[in-house]
Amino acid sequence: SMNGLIMGEFFTPMEINNLLGHIVKENHCESVFDPFCGTASIIRTFEDSMSFRGQEFNPFVSLLARMNLDAHGLDPNCVHTCDSRRVWTDKHFDAIVTCPPFNLPSSQLNTLRSSRTLEGMLFERAFEENTANIVVVMEPISFCFSQKLFDLRKELVVKNLLDAIYILPENLLFNTSIPCVIIVCKTNREKNAPVKFYNAESFYLGESNKKRVFDFKKFVLASNSGESGIITLVDNKIFVDFDYNLNPALYISENIAKEGQSVTPLSSLLIPATS
């Protein structure tokens, strides 16, 4: 809808929902809260025993979500029509999993409680009010380096919450070509555990720049088999050296080398800030 476009909203492709659901399953989560659930299609990726709560601002989309749940034999009343900027449950959930609207105008953010950004509010409430074990959020790649989210990135790194970043192929979302990442944060990380960068940029179907489909099955097979060039482990201390810039280009080598060539991460060519 035009309203959806104006609000920065989009429908999440099922293949991305499959990846989000896969991350939830790998972490043995039994309950999920999605504060920006849209049509709640992600529930198709969960086991029947999964406890789910969704919130959706748009009444029509919320109705579609309840129909979706009903069609899958789940309680449609677990989706609530409300604005998650104002209303947030304090119930515990193992996982907060969501694809929030991108780039809300500042006029839309004056309802947030203590954070100046939607992302800051989301992570704050997820860990402090829901005491979540894991937070999985799809964001535009600017999440990794925009100045307005500097404080949030620093907090996630300093508190040892940042666990993984998935770099997705471009042009997966309808009506926007913004490259996206999936940010995974956990509360139970071991001290000094590295952050995992998953390079999924080349895992797509379709040649068109305007319509691509994420090749979820091929990506999971490749990452599980340890195929080279997909997973890069990065020490937390390196993020400090680079002023909490999480831009994947700083840390991973894209698998674009031809035979006989080598690729060097940008970070090895730069001198970290010392101040």
Side-chain angles (χ1 to χ4, degrees):
S1 70
M2 282 306 296
N3 184 50
L5 293 176
I6 291 169
M7 291 291 289
E9 295 174 358
F10 52 86
F11 288 104
T12 307
M14 199 60 216
E15 295 76 17
I16 293 178
N17 279 328
N18 286 336
L19 179 56
L20 298 173
H22 173 74
I23 296 169
V24 168
K25 285 181 202 170
E26 279 198 322
N27 287 276
H28 311 292
C29 299
E30 296 180 359
S31 57
V32 169
F33 173 40
D34 184 344
F36 304 96
C37 71
T39 58
S41 295
I42 194 170
I43 58 103
R44 296 187 215 166
T45 72
F46 297 148
E47 306 296 331
D48 291 341
S49 59
M50 178 72 73
S51 169
F52 179 80
R53 175 187 171 104
Q55 294 185 177
E56 169 54 41
F57 175 70
N58 184 309
F60 176 68
V61 176
S62 181
L63 175 63
L64 293 178
R66 286 195 283 274
M67 291 171 62
N68 210 352
L69 288 158
D70 193 43
H72 287 82
L74 299 171
D75 179 10
N77 294 318
C78 66
V79 168
H80 302 258
T81 307
C82 58
D83 185 351
S84 289
R85 293 167 301 165
R86 296 181 175 88
V87 179
W88 197 279
T89 177
D90 59 2
K91 182 183 174 186
H92 166 73
F93 293 91
D94 292 340
I96 309 301
V97 183
T98 195
C99 300
F102 287 179
N103 300 321
L104 281 181
S106 55
S107 61
Q108 299 286 337
L109 297 175
N110 56 11
T111 56
L112 302 183
R113 272 189 262 174
S114 56
S115 298
R116 288 179 292 112
T117 66
L118 186 71
E119 295 83 359
M121 175 275 288
L122 195 159
F123 280 96
E124 177 186 329
R125 294 185 186 176
F127 286 123
E128 293 182 11
E129 297 185 31
N130 305 128
T131 59
N133 304 332
I134 181 171
V135 178
V136 186
V137 183
M138 186 168 81
E139 289 285 341
I141 197 168
S142 59
F143 178 98
C144 297
F145 49 78
S146 76
Q147 188 58 36
K148 72 174 184 175
L149 295 177
F150 171 84
D151 290 340
L152 174 60
R153 291 194 303 272
K154 180 177 180 179
E155 182 178 7
L156 296 178
V157 170
V158 169
K159 289 186 176 178
N160 193 32
L161 293 168
L162 182 64
D163 186 71
I165 297 178
Y166 291 74
I167 303 97
L168 298 174
E170 295 182 0
N171 299 304
L172 292 182
L173 302 181
F174 182 68
N175 276 332
T176 177
S177 60
I178 297 173
C180 296
V181 292
I182 292 174
I183 307 293
V184 181
C185 292
K186 296 183 187 177
T187 56
N188 60 349
R189 280 171 45 81
E190 292 182 17
K191 191 177 180 182
N192 299 322
V195 173
K196 297 175 285 293
F197 280 76
Y198 290 84
N199 187 0
E201 287 180 301
S202 61
F203 290 87
Y204 61 85
L205 302 169
E207 297 300 319
S208 168
N209 285 339
K210 294 185 178 179
K211 189 176 182 183
R212 288 177 176 174
V213 175
F214 178 50
D215 196 341
F216 163 72
K217 290 183 179 178
K218 189 174 180 182
F219 169 70
V220 170
L221 282 172
S223 58
N224 286 347
S225 66
E227 189 175 305
S228 65
I230 294 179
I231 303 176
T232 302
L233 303 180
V234 179
D235 191 316
N236 248 356
K237 294 170 187 164
I238 295 178
F239 299 136
V240 180
D241 290 339
F242 285 95
D243 214 18
Y244 305 102
N245 186 335
L246 305 179
N247 189 341
L250 286 167
Y251 308 104
I252 66 171
S253 303
E254 287 192 50
N255 193 19
I256 55 173
K258 297 177 182 176
E259 190 173 346
Q261 294 179 333
S262 62
V263 179
T264 305
L266 187 57
S267 56
S268 64
L269 304 175
L270 300 175
I271 302 173
T274 54
S275 57

